[in-house]
Short mmCIF file of all heavy atoms in Angstrom, two decimals:
data_model
loop_
_atom_site.label_atom_id
_atom_site.label_comp_id
_atom_site.label_asym_id
_atom_site.label_seq_id
_atom_site.Cartn_x
_atom_site.Cartn_y
_atom_site.Cartn_z
N ASN A 1019 0.83 -1.20 0.00
CA ASN A 1019 0.00 0.00 0.00
C ASN A 1019 0.88 1.26 0.00
O ASN A 1019 0.64 2.20 -0.77
CB ASN A 1019 -0.92 -0.03 1.22
CG ASN A 1019 -1.87 1.15 1.26
OD1 ASN A 1019 -2.30 1.66 0.24
ND2 ASN A 1019 -2.19 1.59 2.46
N ILE A 1020 1.89 1.28 0.85
CA ILE A 1020 2.78 2.43 0.92
C ILE A 1020 3.55 2.60 -0.39
O ILE A 1020 3.67 3.71 -0.91
CB ILE A 1020 3.76 2.29 2.11
CG1 ILE A 1020 2.99 2.45 3.43
CG2 ILE A 1020 4.89 3.30 2.02
CD1 ILE A 1020 3.81 2.12 4.66
N ALA A 1021 4.05 1.50 -0.94
CA ALA A 1021 4.81 1.57 -2.19
C ALA A 1021 3.96 2.11 -3.33
O ALA A 1021 4.44 2.93 -4.13
CB ALA A 1021 5.37 0.20 -2.54
N SER A 1022 2.71 1.69 -3.41
CA SER A 1022 1.86 2.18 -4.50
C SER A 1022 1.57 3.66 -4.35
O SER A 1022 1.58 4.42 -5.32
CB SER A 1022 0.57 1.37 -4.61
OG SER A 1022 -0.25 1.57 -3.48
N LYS A 1023 1.34 4.12 -3.11
CA LYS A 1023 1.11 5.55 -2.88
C LYS A 1023 2.38 6.36 -3.15
O LYS A 1023 2.32 7.44 -3.73
CB LYS A 1023 0.62 5.80 -1.46
CG LYS A 1023 -0.81 5.36 -1.24
CD LYS A 1023 -1.25 5.61 0.17
CE LYS A 1023 -2.69 5.11 0.33
NZ LYS A 1023 -3.17 5.29 1.69
N ALA A 1024 3.52 5.85 -2.70
CA ALA A 1024 4.79 6.55 -2.93
C ALA A 1024 5.08 6.64 -4.43
O ALA A 1024 5.50 7.69 -4.93
CB ALA A 1024 5.92 5.85 -2.20
N ALA A 1025 4.84 5.55 -5.15
CA ALA A 1025 5.06 5.57 -6.60
C ALA A 1025 4.14 6.58 -7.28
O ALA A 1025 4.56 7.32 -8.18
CB ALA A 1025 4.85 4.17 -7.18
N TYR A 1026 2.89 6.63 -6.85
CA TYR A 1026 1.94 7.59 -7.42
C TYR A 1026 2.45 9.02 -7.25
O TYR A 1026 2.31 9.86 -8.14
CB TYR A 1026 0.57 7.42 -6.77
CG TYR A 1026 -0.44 8.42 -7.27
CD1 TYR A 1026 -1.10 8.22 -8.48
CD2 TYR A 1026 -0.71 9.58 -6.54
CE1 TYR A 1026 -2.01 9.15 -8.95
CE2 TYR A 1026 -1.62 10.51 -7.01
CZ TYR A 1026 -2.28 10.29 -8.22
OH TYR A 1026 -3.16 11.22 -8.69
N HIS A 1027 3.06 9.30 -6.09
CA HIS A 1027 3.57 10.64 -5.80
C HIS A 1027 5.02 10.82 -6.24
O HIS A 1027 5.65 11.82 -5.92
CB HIS A 1027 3.43 10.94 -4.30
CG HIS A 1027 2.01 11.06 -3.87
ND1 HIS A 1027 1.24 12.19 -4.10
CD2 HIS A 1027 1.20 10.19 -3.23
CE1 HIS A 1027 0.03 12.01 -3.61
NE2 HIS A 1027 -0.02 10.79 -3.08
N LEU A 1028 5.55 9.82 -6.98
CA LEU A 1028 6.92 9.84 -7.51
C LEU A 1028 7.97 10.05 -6.42
O LEU A 1028 8.92 10.81 -6.57
CB LEU A 1028 7.05 10.91 -8.60
CG LEU A 1028 6.11 10.76 -9.79
CD1 LEU A 1028 6.25 11.93 -10.73
CD2 LEU A 1028 6.34 9.44 -10.50
N LYS A 1029 7.80 9.33 -5.31
CA LYS A 1029 8.75 9.40 -4.20
C LYS A 1029 9.65 8.18 -4.19
O LYS A 1029 9.24 7.09 -4.57
CB LYS A 1029 8.01 9.44 -2.86
CG LYS A 1029 7.22 10.68 -2.66
CD LYS A 1029 6.59 10.67 -1.29
CE LYS A 1029 5.68 11.87 -1.22
NZ LYS A 1029 5.54 12.40 0.09
N LYS A 1030 10.84 8.37 -3.68
CA LYS A 1030 11.72 7.23 -3.44
C LYS A 1030 11.19 6.49 -2.22
O LYS A 1030 10.61 7.10 -1.33
CB LYS A 1030 13.14 7.72 -3.15
CG LYS A 1030 13.79 8.43 -4.32
CD LYS A 1030 15.17 8.92 -3.93
CE LYS A 1030 15.84 9.64 -5.06
NZ LYS A 1030 16.14 8.85 -6.22
N TYR A 1031 11.38 5.18 -2.20
CA TYR A 1031 10.96 4.42 -1.03
C TYR A 1031 11.84 3.19 -0.87
O TYR A 1031 12.40 2.68 -1.84
CB TYR A 1031 9.48 4.04 -1.07
CG TYR A 1031 9.08 3.17 -2.24
CD1 TYR A 1031 9.12 1.79 -2.15
CD2 TYR A 1031 8.63 3.74 -3.43
CE1 TYR A 1031 8.74 0.99 -3.22
CE2 TYR A 1031 8.24 2.96 -4.49
CZ TYR A 1031 8.30 1.58 -4.39
OH TYR A 1031 7.93 0.80 -5.44
N ALA A 1032 11.97 2.76 0.37
CA ALA A 1032 12.72 1.55 0.71
C ALA A 1032 11.85 0.73 1.65
O ALA A 1032 11.30 1.26 2.60
CB ALA A 1032 14.04 1.91 1.38
N MET A 1033 11.73 -0.55 1.35
CA MET A 1033 10.86 -1.45 2.13
C MET A 1033 11.64 -2.62 2.69
O MET A 1033 12.46 -3.21 2.00
CB MET A 1033 9.76 -2.02 1.23
CG MET A 1033 8.90 -1.01 0.53
SD MET A 1033 7.70 -0.38 1.67
CE MET A 1033 7.31 1.17 0.91
N GLU A 1034 11.38 -2.93 3.93
CA GLU A 1034 11.83 -4.18 4.54
C GLU A 1034 10.55 -4.85 5.01
O GLU A 1034 9.99 -4.49 6.04
CB GLU A 1034 12.77 -3.91 5.71
CG GLU A 1034 13.29 -5.17 6.33
CD GLU A 1034 14.17 -4.92 7.54
OE1 GLU A 1034 14.50 -3.77 7.84
OE2 GLU A 1034 14.50 -5.92 8.21
N LEU A 1035 10.09 -5.81 4.22
CA LEU A 1035 8.76 -6.36 4.43
C LEU A 1035 8.78 -7.66 5.21
O LEU A 1035 9.77 -8.37 5.26
CB LEU A 1035 8.06 -6.53 3.09
CG LEU A 1035 7.95 -5.23 2.28
CD1 LEU A 1035 7.27 -5.48 0.96
CD2 LEU A 1035 7.25 -4.15 3.06
N GLY A 1036 7.64 -7.97 5.81
CA GLY A 1036 7.49 -9.11 6.70
C GLY A 1036 7.56 -10.45 6.02
O GLY A 1036 7.72 -10.57 4.82
N GLY A 1037 7.44 -11.44 6.84
CA GLY A 1037 7.51 -12.81 6.36
C GLY A 1037 8.56 -13.56 7.16
O GLY A 1037 9.41 -12.97 7.81
N LYS A 1038 8.48 -14.84 7.11
CA LYS A 1038 9.45 -15.66 7.83
C LYS A 1038 10.34 -16.35 6.81
O LYS A 1038 9.91 -16.74 5.73
CB LYS A 1038 8.73 -16.73 8.67
CG LYS A 1038 7.81 -16.13 9.71
CD LYS A 1038 8.62 -15.35 10.74
CE LYS A 1038 7.72 -14.71 11.75
NZ LYS A 1038 8.33 -13.60 12.43
N ASN A 1039 11.58 -16.49 7.18
CA ASN A 1039 12.53 -17.15 6.29
C ASN A 1039 12.34 -18.66 6.37
O ASN A 1039 11.96 -19.20 7.40
CB ASN A 1039 13.96 -16.80 6.70
CG ASN A 1039 14.23 -15.32 6.50
OD1 ASN A 1039 13.69 -14.71 5.60
ND2 ASN A 1039 15.04 -14.76 7.35
N PRO A 1040 12.64 -19.36 5.29
CA PRO A 1040 12.53 -20.83 5.33
C PRO A 1040 13.63 -21.42 6.21
O PRO A 1040 14.67 -20.83 6.41
CB PRO A 1040 12.73 -21.24 3.87
CG PRO A 1040 13.49 -20.13 3.26
CD PRO A 1040 13.08 -18.88 3.99
N LEU A 1041 13.34 -22.59 6.71
CA LEU A 1041 14.30 -23.32 7.52
C LEU A 1041 14.63 -24.60 6.77
O LEU A 1041 13.75 -25.43 6.53
CB LEU A 1041 13.70 -23.64 8.90
CG LEU A 1041 14.57 -24.38 9.88
CD1 LEU A 1041 15.76 -23.52 10.29
CD2 LEU A 1041 13.77 -24.77 11.11
N ILE A 1042 15.87 -24.75 6.38
CA ILE A 1042 16.29 -25.92 5.60
C ILE A 1042 17.21 -26.76 6.48
O ILE A 1042 18.16 -26.24 7.07
CB ILE A 1042 17.03 -25.48 4.32
CG1 ILE A 1042 16.10 -24.59 3.47
CG2 ILE A 1042 17.51 -26.70 3.53
CD1 ILE A 1042 16.78 -23.93 2.31
N LEU A 1043 16.94 -28.04 6.56
CA LEU A 1043 17.70 -28.94 7.43
C LEU A 1043 18.50 -29.96 6.64
O LEU A 1043 18.06 -30.41 5.59
CB LEU A 1043 16.76 -29.70 8.36
CG LEU A 1043 15.84 -28.88 9.25
CD1 LEU A 1043 14.93 -29.79 10.03
CD2 LEU A 1043 16.65 -28.00 10.15
N LEU A 1044 19.64 -30.33 7.19
CA LEU A 1044 20.40 -31.44 6.65
C LEU A 1044 19.84 -32.74 7.24
O LEU A 1044 19.15 -32.72 8.27
CB LEU A 1044 21.88 -31.31 7.02
CG LEU A 1044 22.58 -30.07 6.46
CD1 LEU A 1044 24.01 -30.01 6.97
CD2 LEU A 1044 22.55 -30.06 4.95
N LYS A 1045 20.12 -33.83 6.60
CA LYS A 1045 19.60 -35.13 7.03
C LYS A 1045 19.93 -35.44 8.48
O LYS A 1045 19.13 -36.02 9.20
CB LYS A 1045 20.18 -36.26 6.17
CG LYS A 1045 19.73 -36.26 4.76
CD LYS A 1045 20.42 -37.41 4.02
CE LYS A 1045 20.33 -37.19 2.54
NZ LYS A 1045 21.08 -38.19 1.80
N ASP A 1046 21.11 -35.05 8.93
CA ASP A 1046 21.56 -35.43 10.26
C ASP A 1046 21.25 -34.39 11.33
O ASP A 1046 21.69 -34.54 12.47
CB ASP A 1046 23.06 -35.72 10.24
CG ASP A 1046 23.89 -34.50 9.85
OD1 ASP A 1046 23.32 -33.53 9.31
OD2 ASP A 1046 25.11 -34.53 10.07
N TYR A 1047 20.48 -33.36 11.02
CA TYR A 1047 20.19 -32.34 12.03
C TYR A 1047 19.04 -32.77 12.93
O TYR A 1047 18.10 -33.41 12.49
CB TYR A 1047 19.88 -30.98 11.38
CG TYR A 1047 20.01 -29.86 12.38
CD1 TYR A 1047 21.25 -29.34 12.69
CD2 TYR A 1047 18.90 -29.37 13.07
CE1 TYR A 1047 21.40 -28.35 13.65
CE2 TYR A 1047 19.04 -28.38 14.03
CZ TYR A 1047 20.30 -27.88 14.32
OH TYR A 1047 20.43 -26.91 15.27
N ASP A 1048 19.10 -32.40 14.17
CA ASP A 1048 18.09 -32.72 15.18
C ASP A 1048 16.80 -31.94 14.90
O ASP A 1048 16.75 -30.72 15.05
CB ASP A 1048 18.64 -32.37 16.56
CG ASP A 1048 17.69 -32.69 17.71
OD1 ASP A 1048 16.49 -32.96 17.46
OD2 ASP A 1048 18.16 -32.68 18.86
N VAL A 1049 15.74 -32.64 14.49
CA VAL A 1049 14.48 -32.01 14.12
C VAL A 1049 13.85 -31.28 15.30
O VAL A 1049 13.33 -30.16 15.16
CB VAL A 1049 13.49 -33.05 13.53
CG1 VAL A 1049 12.13 -32.42 13.27
CG2 VAL A 1049 14.06 -33.63 12.25
N ASP A 1050 13.91 -31.87 16.50
CA ASP A 1050 13.34 -31.21 17.68
C ASP A 1050 14.05 -29.88 17.95
O ASP A 1050 13.43 -28.87 18.29
CB ASP A 1050 13.44 -32.11 18.91
CG ASP A 1050 12.52 -33.32 18.81
OD1 ASP A 1050 11.50 -33.23 18.09
OD2 ASP A 1050 12.81 -34.36 19.44
N LYS A 1051 15.35 -29.87 17.80
CA LYS A 1051 16.12 -28.63 17.99
C LYS A 1051 15.74 -27.60 16.91
O LYS A 1051 15.62 -26.41 17.21
CB LYS A 1051 17.63 -28.94 17.93
CG LYS A 1051 18.50 -27.75 18.21
CD LYS A 1051 18.40 -27.35 19.67
CE LYS A 1051 19.36 -26.23 19.98
NZ LYS A 1051 19.14 -25.66 21.29
N ALA A 1052 15.54 -28.06 15.68
CA ALA A 1052 15.15 -27.16 14.59
C ALA A 1052 13.79 -26.52 14.87
O ALA A 1052 13.58 -25.33 14.61
CB ALA A 1052 15.12 -27.92 13.27
N VAL A 1053 12.86 -27.31 15.40
CA VAL A 1053 11.53 -26.77 15.74
C VAL A 1053 11.66 -25.72 16.84
O VAL A 1053 11.03 -24.66 16.78
CB VAL A 1053 10.58 -27.91 16.17
CG1 VAL A 1053 9.29 -27.36 16.77
CG2 VAL A 1053 10.27 -28.81 14.97
N GLU A 1054 12.49 -25.99 17.82
CA GLU A 1054 12.72 -25.02 18.90
C GLU A 1054 13.30 -23.71 18.35
O GLU A 1054 12.85 -22.62 18.70
CB GLU A 1054 13.69 -25.63 19.92
CG GLU A 1054 14.03 -24.70 21.07
CD GLU A 1054 15.10 -25.32 21.98
OE1 GLU A 1054 15.14 -26.56 22.13
OE2 GLU A 1054 15.87 -24.54 22.53
N ILE A 1055 14.27 -23.82 17.47
CA ILE A 1055 14.90 -22.64 16.89
C ILE A 1055 13.91 -21.87 16.02
O ILE A 1055 13.84 -20.64 16.06
CB ILE A 1055 16.16 -23.05 16.08
CG1 ILE A 1055 17.23 -23.55 17.04
CG2 ILE A 1055 16.67 -21.88 15.24
CD1 ILE A 1055 18.38 -24.26 16.35
#
């Protein structure tokens, strides 16, 4: 929403947007520990 309004007004903008990063595990990693982390 902010980016579209800023673009309409020809303003510069920088966004750091939400979301969670994926968690990738190796075969030998402790799954319970990964869930905790």
Side-chain angles (χ1 to χ4, degrees):
N1019 183 32
I1020 290 171
S1022 66
K1023 287 180 181 178
Y1026 178 80
H1027 292 282
L1028 302 175
K1029 293 183 186 210
K1030 296 178 181 295
Y1031 61 90
M1033 303 281 157
E1034 182 183 353
L1035 303 179
K1038 299 295 178 202
N1039 295 327
L1041 181 66
I1042 301 171
L1043 303 177
L1044 298 176
K1045 292 178 198 175
D1046 61 345
Y1047 197 81
D1048 181 346
V1049 174
D1050 291 335
K1051 184 70 175 170
V1053 169
E1054 178 185 329
I1055 292 167

